[in-house]
Amino acid sequence: MNRFAKLFAALDQTTKTNAKVTALAGYFRDAPDDDKLWTIALLSGRRPRRTVTTTSLREWAAEAARIPLWLFEECYPIVGDLAETIALILPPATRTSDRSLTHWITEIRALAARDEPARKAAILDAWDQLGSTERFLFNKLITGGFRIGVSQKLMTRALAQATGHDEAALAHRLMGDWTPDRTSFHALVEADDPAAELSRPYPFYLAYQLDTAPEDLGPVTDWLAEHKWDGIRGQLVLRGGQHFVWSRGEDLMTDRFPELAAAVDFVPPGTVIDGEILAWKDASPLSFSALQKRIGRKTVPKKLLAEAPVILKAYDLLEWQGEDLRATPLAARRTLLENLIEGLPNTAPIRLSPALDAANWRHLAQARAKSRALGAEGLMLKRKDSAYQIGRKKGDWWKWKVDPLSVDAVMIYAQQGHGRRANLFTDFTFAVWDAGNLVPFTKAYSGLTDAEFRQITQWVRKNTIDRYGPVRAVTPTYVFEIHFEGIQASPRHKSGIALRFPRIARWRHDKPIQEANTLQDLREILASYG
Amino acid sequence: MAVLSVTPEGIYCEAGGFHIDPWRPVDRALITHGHADHARPGHRRYLCTGPAAPVIRHRLGQIDLDTMRYGEERRIDGATVSFHPAGHVPGSAQIRVAVSGEVWVVSGDYKLEPDGLCEPFEPVQADTFITECTFGLPVFTWTPQAEVAQDINRWWADTVAAGRTPILGAYSLGKAQRILTMLDAAIGPILTHGAIENTNEVLRAQGIALPATIRVTPDTDPKRHPGAVVLAPPSALGSAWANRFGATSTAFASGWMRLRGVRRRRAADRGFVISDHADWPGLNAAIRETGAERVLVTHGYTAQFRRWLETQGYDAQEVETEFEGESLETAEPDSAA
């Protein structure tokens, strides 16, 4: 694992993209194939299944460090990362070893079949022969979540450099349902494999939030406008008589949405459609919370299928008659898509995401303003002559979302962040007034600058009135403007409501806490938009 | 009656009528060392060790300052006081106060590992020990100085080889000079920021040997010093001052660099774990060696450390002071160092 640890250190020690790509490319040139394959897997979110609970890891680490468990628990929020806390707290290793990354992953996975004492012995044995970085990585392999500042895109670029393959072709190859068990480095990166190609989705093209006035985009006639649907982005792949449904995060969701299987009856093989999976009844989408019930389920009970049936709201055609259309201009892809859907019966689980007619930008602005009432989050603007690109690229596709819903709330609890923001108070609970009391209704994390987080951190330290584990109650003093995308009734919460995508928009230094919103205000928003 | 108590002005000895490292102006202040949170302006009379005096004078200007040798005893009214090496920065001391046979020791800031620069820490027997605990959690353990020195020198050489200028951020009193003694002058010249060089001059004048350095002035042309490493206070990293060096690799030296989250937030390329405060094993060893039954903990992870000491059989209490230690805030970007 020394080589992998060196790679990690090199990536961790720089903030410069080129240096990261160089380090990764060097690794991809020199490392053994098995390790390369696992590295690609880890950096694309394919981690081994957890075989040891974090509870056990904490106990064993505290025991090995000869400290009480409560002291370990005190360290964790300050370090901000469990794998790192364990690595820091353990006594120095008494032996050294240089087993490969693949060796350790194999060891960790083998623990699944063993009993708890055997697991403990194996983990303690591993800790005792790994250096500090290696230990941290070993723990990360167990606990998961390999966020080390390397995006899949950056990894793909490095792999392209090391192998001489085209980056876009590699990005496509790395998509889909592979795991290191079922492929090899050669098969994944080098060889032609028709079976793997059958299910493989295309890398998704992602839009940026519009950051200028729409008029700055040029004539409205250059643009295709449609609603931005509030569902799950998905690709429906039909090849060789089978169908596959992929999420943007490359999860294979085929079994979760059995309704889409009917597509095979209507749509010819050699077709890939990009669209939004929505819970849909009659002619309009159900709320996102209806869809949410479906997301967590691998198999769907009949009742739920009836309550929240899904469709694919189609907006792009990436493959037709087995041909990759991504370089074809959007307008032409769109014509093919419209023709395809026009021929489908009403019972087919695919609907067209209609293009909005507009003579000028003002018309579109009006459509955008009304979109929340239609269950949409705003508009998408796509340049008619645009190709279907890879990843997030500026210029041709824009999200033009409706203004978020907003409420002014009082901060009442604070908690330290994790990872990059460990040691700063970044996680806050906010409250609104109800009959003279402050009722908590949401948490929010993002939205302040690092300087503001530092300022609030110092303030929290001096104004703590109570502690509940890592949570601190603070003197209600500051009002924050909270933005959110949606609201729903929630009996699980004390306030009776739950927000979607809450975030801090502004620190309202100008507002005293008496002027914060009330629970009644939230109930009215719920009545209008819930 | 307690030998020492905490008043709004600071740690106070009623029997001797003096304060130790007070944070509000007082009549008579005994000072452990010259860092700004311990040696503050505005007191009528100051008392510190001989080697701590030049820096304190340099920082506070015209003050009424008396000095004592390490180990020398002096009677102040009803108390007997003496200063003992704390190993924190040159001249730093723990202060021992004895009243009617009861001994209290105020640690000030301290570390156990000899750093080759300041007088090494000496344990002092005490009934009650008032200790800092800046790094009072078991995740904080330091690697030996020689190993960190190797890492720093390798980073220096590698950065130069890559055509960049290495800039290392370190506090201008103590940490910077300690790092100076760790640098391998065979690699190249050492450039220093004015704030650090001013302290260097004070320390050299009192006979402390430091390697040759070149002060960076507005006229300094970095090209005339190829292969140089630059030493600057943390606040200068990423500032306009640093622009003159062109392409750089930045590093920061602090105990907080032990934590990856802090290291990344600093947005420096490297973090070297090096502190003038005791690590977890150091704090525990120091407390053990005082033989004290009662331990009062100040600045740092006081709540956690007190609870830990209780499990180890000590009568432990937290005391609120205004000392900052190697505060995390000063390890953060955009704040005063």
Side-chain angles (χ1 to χ4, degrees), chain A residues 312-323:
Chain A
L312 180 71
K313 201 78 170 158
Y315 37 65
D316 212 328
L317 188 63
L318 310 187
E319 184 175 308
W320 178 240
Q321 295 177 339
E323 196 190 329

Side-chain angles (χ1 to χ4, degrees), chain A residues 1 42 45-61 72 76 79-87 104-105 108-109 111 123 127 133-148 418, chain B residues 260:
Chain A
M1 190 127 85
L42 293 170
R46 293 166 172 83
R47 58 184 183 80
R49 226 166 37 140
R50 187 173 291 184
T51 53
V52 182
T53 64
T54 57
T55 312
S56 298
L57 286 177
R58 290 164 198 235
E59 283 169 8
W60 302 339
F72 180 91
Y76 176 28
V79 175
D81 181 283
L82 185 66
E84 188 187 347
T85 309
I86 294 171
W104 286 116
I105 292 174
I108 290 168
R109 298 168 87 205
L111 296 180
I123 298 283
W127 282 340
T133 307
E134 285 85 352
R135 255 182 200 168
F136 168 67
L137 293 169
F138 175 79
N139 295 340
K140 273 283 180 201
L141 291 172
I142 301 175
T143 58
F146 244 84
R147 267 167 305 192
I148 55 173
H418 280 236
Chain B
R260 187 167 167 253

Side-chain angles (χ1 to χ4, degrees), chain A residues 173-208:
Chain A
R173 294 188 80 110
L174 299 185
M175 296 288 288
D177 181 28
W178 62 273
T179 72
D181 294 323
R182 285 185 273 117
T183 188
S184 65
F185 182 77
H186 179 78
L188 182 70
V189 174
E190 309 281 353
D192 288 324
D193 178 2
E197 274 163 27
L198 201 64
S199 71
R200 194 178 282 156
Y202 292 98
F204 284 83
Y205 182 18
L206 308 173
Y208 271 97

Side-chain angles (χ1 to χ4, degrees), chain B residues 4-329:
Chain B
L4 299 173
S5 59
V6 178
T7 69
E9 287 74 35
I11 298 172
Y12 181 58
C13 176
E14 195 173 336
F18 59 84
H19 289 78
I20 296 175
D21 292 352
W23 43 85
R24 308 249 188 289
V26 300
D27 178 54
R28 184 168 213 166
L30 274 58
I31 305 294
T32 59
H33 65 287
H35 277 145
D37 55 327
H38 292 263
R40 296 178 195 250
H43 311 309
R44 205 166 72 80
R45 285 178 291 172
Y46 291 79
L47 179 62
C48 66
T49 69
V55 163
I56 292 175
R57 281 215 176 83
H58 170 72
R59 290 209 154 163
L60 300 182
Q62 281 293 337
I63 52 170
D64 177 353
L65 176 66
D66 194 5
T67 64
M68 283 171 64
R69 279 176 287 110
Y70 284 119
E72 176 189 346
E73 288 194 352
R74 182 178 295 189
R75 184 92 189 166
I76 302 178
D77 290 343
T80 305
V81 302
S82 54
F83 290 73
H84 305 269
H88 178 58
V89 295
S92 67
Q94 310 170 71
I95 297 178
R96 178 183 186 274
V97 183
V99 176
S100 319
E102 187 179 347
V103 178
W104 287 44
V105 171
V106 177
S107 76
D109 293 338
Y110 66 99
K111 71 170 177 291
L112 270 63
E113 188 188 20
D115 62 6
L117 180 72
C118 50
E119 307 79 4
F121 177 87
E122 284 177 15
V124 184
Q125 291 291 311
D127 298 309
T128 299
F129 186 46
I130 303 184
T131 179
E132 63 136 327
C133 61
T134 308
F135 293 108
L137 286 176
V139 291
F140 296 107
T141 52
W142 312 147
T143 38
Q145 176 164 323
E147 282 177 40
V148 183
Q150 269 186 7
D151 288 347
I152 294 177
N153 286 315
R154 193 176 307 128
W155 163 76
W156 178 5
D158 289 351
T159 303
V160 167
R164 294 176 176 274
T165 304
I167 303 190
L168 180 52
Y171 302 125
S172 47
L173 168 59
K175 187 78 64 67
Q177 290 75 30
R178 182 178 175 194
I179 287 168
L180 278 177
T181 67
M182 293 160 67
L183 292 173
D184 178 1
I187 300 171
I190 302 166
L191 302 184
T192 47
H193 184 280
I196 289 174
E197 196 53 33
N198 292 343
T199 312
N200 289 351
E201 284 174 1
V202 173
L203 295 177
R204 283 192 184 110
Q206 71 188 80
I208 292 174
L210 295 174
T213 52
I214 301 163
R215 180 192 286 265
V216 175
T217 68
D219 305 325
T220 304
D221 178 7
K223 290 195 196 67
R224 295 191 49 206
H225 307 286
V229 67
V230 183
L231 222 54
S235 57
L237 264 68
S239 72
W241 180 87
N243 289 344
R244 73 188 74 200
F245 300 106
T248 59
S249 169
T250 53
F252 189 64
S254 161
W256 294 107
M257 294 297 111
R258 177 96 169 137
L259 303 184
R260 187 167 167 253
V262 180
R263 215 157 56 223
R264 286 160 73 209
R265 205 157 56 236
R266 228 5 261 193
D269 295 307
R270 289 295 294 272
F272 297 109
V273 184
I274 182 161
S275 177
D276 289 322
H277 294 265
D279 63 359
W280 173 260
L283 289 169
N284 281 286
I287 290 167
R288 215 165 34 240
E289 287 176 24
T290 62
E293 284 176 8
R294 193 144 71 108
V295 182
L296 308 183
V297 297
T298 76
H299 62 300
Y301 293 106
T302 49
Q304 296 93 331
F305 196 54
R306 176 198 52 78
R307 190 171 163 197
W308 161 256
L309 289 175
E310 278 176 352
T311 68
Q312 302 302 297
Y314 294 97
D315 170 10
Q317 289 165 35
E318 290 172 60
V319 281
E320 285 285 331
T321 64
E322 294 190 14
F323 306 131
E324 289 161 11
E326 182 169 340
S327 79
L328 186 54
E329 280 71 30

